[in-house]
Amino acid sequence: MKIIVYVRNNMERAKLSIESISLFVENAPLIVVDNASEDGFATWASSQSTFDYVYMDEGYQPVGRVLNQVIDGMGIDEDIMLIDSNCIILPKLIENMMSTFSSDESLGVVGCYTNFSSELEHRGINNQDAMVDYIS
């Protein structure tokens, strides 16, 4: 499985997302796809060595087109997990999603409970430790 993080002008959240993946996911190659961000993310990302970085320099493109270009261009022929740069990964999230995905051959896509929602704030869950406790 490869993990692809999609980024578009969301530098601070993208950094948090990438950091959370490196903290809680082992042995899964990470590809960060930047859809022509204009917020300085390219400068930061191109200096990192913990992931493969792809900058789409043709200007903003529809998400599906960008991802298909990356998948085709990199010759990816295995399962991928697409993560938006707004997502912060919590412990065991990837493993649980892959377990669910593998549990039934008829599944083509799985999703997760959001950790970036006003609904969680209404439940009094407003930080990562509380979210971990809530979903555990």
Side-chain angles (χ1 to χ4, degrees), residues 39-128:
D39 62 355
F41 183 76
T43 302
W44 176 81
S46 61
S47 70
Q48 304 302 304
S49 62
T50 58
F51 53 83
D52 292 326
Y53 176 64
V54 178
Y55 181 79
M56 305 303 289
D57 58 2
E58 299 88 19
Y60 176 77
Q61 301 283 322
V63 176
R65 182 180 302 158
V66 167
L67 296 174
N68 284 330
Q69 287 176 350
V70 169
I71 290 166
D72 291 343
M74 297 185 83
I76 298 172
D77 62 354
E78 59 191 286
D79 291 337
I80 61 168
M81 179 161 292
L82 175 60
I83 299 174
D84 188 89
S85 60
N86 280 324
C87 295
I88 305 299
I89 302 304
L90 299 172
K92 299 185 181 180
L93 179 105
I94 303 294
E95 293 87 350
N96 289 342
M97 288 179 70
M98 287 307 296
S99 176
T100 300
F101 182 70
S102 301
S103 70
D104 184 342
E105 287 184 12
S106 67
L107 293 176
V109 175
V110 294
C112 62
Y113 191 81
T114 184
N115 59 0
F116 189 64
S117 166
S118 60
E119 175 64 23
L120 290 175
E121 292 168 8
H122 291 300
R123 294 181 186 180
I125 301 170
N126 56 13
N127 66 54
Q128 187 166 329

